[in-house]
Amino acid sequence: MPDLPFDLATVDWITVATYAGIAFLAAIVGNIIALGNRFAASVLTALFFAVFYVLWAYWIADIVAPKAASAVTEQPAATSPY
């Protein structure tokens, strides 16, 4: 295999799989609702992907795994003895 400009070991495969799953779910729902119309299916798929992504990134992810930054309390700045 030719040298890639990035290392595949550094890819977050869980995130890739999650987004692929969201896209697959959006495509299934869009195609079912469009009833055979390809253009409507592609528009609905894009719309459903946006909806599912927002739900995952901003609602479900906060319920399942709250952000670590919100758990950290701010420490007062250290004073310099000089």
Side-chain angles (χ1 to χ4, degrees), residues 14-55:
I14 299 296
T15 303
V16 171
T18 301
Y19 292 159
I22 291 171
F24 179 74
L25 179 64
I28 294 292
V29 172
N31 281 309
I32 289 172
I33 292 176
L35 299 174
N37 185 340
R38 290 181 182 172
F39 179 75
S42 63
V43 171
L44 287 172
T45 296
L47 178 68
F48 283 122
F49 179 81
V51 169
F52 294 151
Y53 174 77
V54 168
L55 286 176

Side-chain angles (χ1 to χ4, degrees), residues 51-66:
V51 169
F52 294 151
Y53 174 77
V54 168
L55 286 176
W56 174 261
Y58 296 102
W59 185 58
I60 295 174
D62 285 339
I63 292 172
V64 174

